[in-house]
Amino acid sequence: MNLTPTEARARADEVRETSLTILRGLIPVATIDAWNEAFQPLLNAAIAREGDDPNRGANRHYVTLPFQDLWADAGIIDNDAIMAVVEELVGADGVMCQLASDTPLIGSDYQDLHRDTQLLFPESGAETPPYQLAVNFALVDVTDENGPMEYAPGTHMTAKAEGMRRIESGEVPLVRAYMNRGDVMIRDVRHIHRGTPNRTAVPRPMVVIGYSRRWLYRPEVNIRVPAEVLVGLPERARRWLRFNPVFETKAEAARQEESYRAFAY
């Protein structure tokens, strides 16, 4: 899928108005299935490591993905359609700052309604144009049974208390984001949302690629980039990764994960 400038602006305007847009069928299903197969050992290691203290709630795991091999596929991280919308929202000089996943398992529960970031100036109570985005795609089809995200459209541009009031009064509904393998969601992470329970025996991995304005720095997230991977990427991808730490070898880059536990605001 290629987007014309007019189409990219329309998708960006949809994010500004509702908080998200979904590009249907963007990534080949074969690519998604390869990611899912490669993801299972990483998930199993996280489950063994975290035990009874998973980092996103009961039986729900946040797993950082190593920026190498298929995880550094330029067809995804430098996808023309995705980047056209992202650049409309956070500027062509923005940064890619996160590559990870969120996976509810059977036994997971509803998360508390939350945002993924704070206001830039909490004392003001005022919202601003977009400054932080999540690009999400699931590694399995997302259905009612396996834990779709619920979100409240438009609440990214209201104070959280006012957004919660609108949800509780029924003025703004909670909408479930259904996605098939290959669909890509681009969302403003300030909207009020929550994960829902996975009631199946199959994990529901959701990849997140984080993008932000060039001046926004959150020390709890970054991408550890191997130098040999970086040199093989297109120029645009290298530019968007420019503020991340670079390591001499893949092994060194994969050695440490993010310490991203406080995620709900």
Side-chain angles (χ1 to χ4, degrees), residues 58-80:
N59 294 299
R60 186 182 297 271
H61 298 269
Y62 175 89
V63 181
T64 302
L65 304 177
F67 193 75
Q68 52 190 267
D69 305 324
L70 88 174
W71 310 112
D73 182 352
I76 294 179
I77 66 163
D78 193 51
N79 183 278
D80 286 336

Side-chain angles (χ1 to χ4, degrees), residues 1 24-36 73 75-76 79 137-139 180-184:
M1 175 191 296
R24 300 289 183 185
L26 183 65
I27 302 172
V29 170
T31 299
I32 295 296
D33 290 345
W35 277 51
N36 193 35
D73 182 352
I76 294 179
N79 183 278
F137 56 93
L139 301 186
N180 293 325
R181 303 193 321 282
D183 295 346
V184 174

Side-chain angles (χ1 to χ4, degrees), residues 100-248:
S101 60
D102 179 83
T103 307
L105 311 176
I106 191 168
S108 53
D109 204 345
Y110 287 94
Q111 292 180 313
D112 291 337
L113 288 165
H114 65 278
R115 291 169 151 180
D116 289 344
T117 192
Q118 304 177 73
L119 295 181
L120 285 180
F121 303 100
E123 69 278 10
S124 73
E127 293 296 351
T128 65
Y131 54 89
Q132 185 174 344
L133 306 173
V135 170
N136 293 120
F137 56 93
L139 301 186
V140 297
D141 294 341
V142 179
T143 68
D144 267 326
E145 290 73 33
N146 67 357
M149 180 187 75
E150 291 183 334
Y151 71 100
T155 53
H156 61 305
M157 294 303 294
T158 65
K160 185 182 179 186
E162 173 61 14
M164 292 296 291
R165 184 197 68 77
R166 294 182 184 182
I167 294 168
E168 290 163 2
S169 71
E171 181 181 345
V172 176
L174 286 175
V175 177
R176 291 196 156 194
Y178 302 113
M179 300 173 68
N180 293 325
R181 303 193 321 282
D183 295 346
V184 174
M185 177 192 300
I186 303 172
R187 64 186 179 93
D188 186 319
V189 301
R190 293 174 295 175
H191 64 179
I192 296 174
H193 65 284
R194 65 182 178 185
T196 66
N198 182 352
R199 306 189 190 283
T200 77
V202 178
R204 195 277 291 143
M206 181 70 74
V207 173
V208 54
I209 306 176
Y211 295 94
S212 66
R213 302 264 181 180
R214 67 174 301 278
W215 40 260
L216 182 67
Y217 174 59
R218 296 185 66 181
E220 67 270 27
V221 294
N222 63 55
I223 300 170
R224 295 169 62 88
V225 183
E228 63 189 281
V229 173
L230 186 65
V231 298
L233 293 174
E235 187 279 333
R236 179 176 58 190
R238 296 197 303 271
R239 174 162 46 85
W240 278 80
L241 288 161
R242 66 192 181 279
F243 294 150
N244 290 287
V246 178
F247 298 86
E248 290 188 7

Side-chain angles (χ1 to χ4, degrees), residues 5-84:
T6 299
E7 290 169 335
R9 284 192 295 273
R11 293 289 190 161
D13 285 342
E14 186 180 5
V15 176
R16 294 185 183 103
E17 179 180 353
T18 71
S19 78
L20 64 80
T21 189
I22 299 178
L23 305 176
R24 300 289 183 185
L26 183 65
I27 302 172
V29 170
T31 299
I32 295 296
D33 290 345
W35 277 51
N36 193 35
E37 182 178 0
F39 176 69
Q40 298 307 311
L42 301 180
L43 176 61
N44 291 336
I47 293 169
R49 180 174 62 251
E50 295 175 353
D52 294 331
D53 187 28
N55 53 24
R56 288 298 183 273
N59 294 299
R60 186 182 297 271
H61 298 269
Y62 175 89
V63 181
T64 302
L65 304 177
F67 193 75
Q68 52 190 267
D69 305 324
L70 88 174
W71 310 112
D73 182 352
I76 294 179
I77 66 163
D78 193 51
N79 183 278
D80 286 336
I82 294 172
M83 296 310 301

